[in-house]
Amino acid sequence: ITHTTHLSASITQAGFYNIVGGQFTCSITTSNAPIGAEYEFFQTSSAGNFLFHSGSGITLISKDGNLKLVGQGSAATLKKVDTSTFPLIGDLTS
């Protein structure tokens, strides 16, 4: 799925390869996506850094708390492992 605006980690993006620009944000909130839902992200734009943002009551776990894709060509995977817990792994920066 190619995104041209901000998005959320919802059931509609789960299981897809999400192509994003550096000027956008993924909001992570409680959703109807099942536990085990996985989201892949790939940044194609050289402008900016795609940002992951967690809503109230959400635990977003990433190495060193990094929440942005490094830049063009960077990728990350987000997985829902509990009702409100999402590990984030990939080419991330602060």
Side-chain angles (χ1 to χ4, degrees):
I1 301 172
T2 299
H3 297 277
T4 57
T5 186
H6 302 287
L7 62 137
S8 63
S10 68
I11 189 73
T12 55
Q13 282 83 33
F16 289 98
Y17 190 77
N18 295 281
I19 299 169
V20 297
Q23 68 276 29
F24 300 126
T25 299
C26 176
S27 297
I28 303 158
T29 60
T30 303
S31 74
N32 60 350
I35 292 171
E38 197 166 283
Y39 309 80
E40 292 185 79
F41 297 91
F42 183 78
Q43 183 175 326
T44 56
S45 170
S46 61
N49 304 86
F50 185 77
L51 171 67
F52 296 89
H53 172 72
S54 60
S56 178
I58 298 296
T59 302
L60 182 57
I61 304 166
S62 65
K63 185 177 181 186
D64 296 328
N66 293 337
L67 299 176
K68 296 178 186 176
L69 290 178
V70 170
Q72 186 177 29
S74 294
T77 301
L78 178 71
K79 186 162 187 154
K80 184 176 183 179
V81 296
D82 197 353
T83 305
S84 60
T85 305
F86 293 79
L88 176 64
I89 60 170
D91 192 15
L92 302 166
T93 189
S94 57

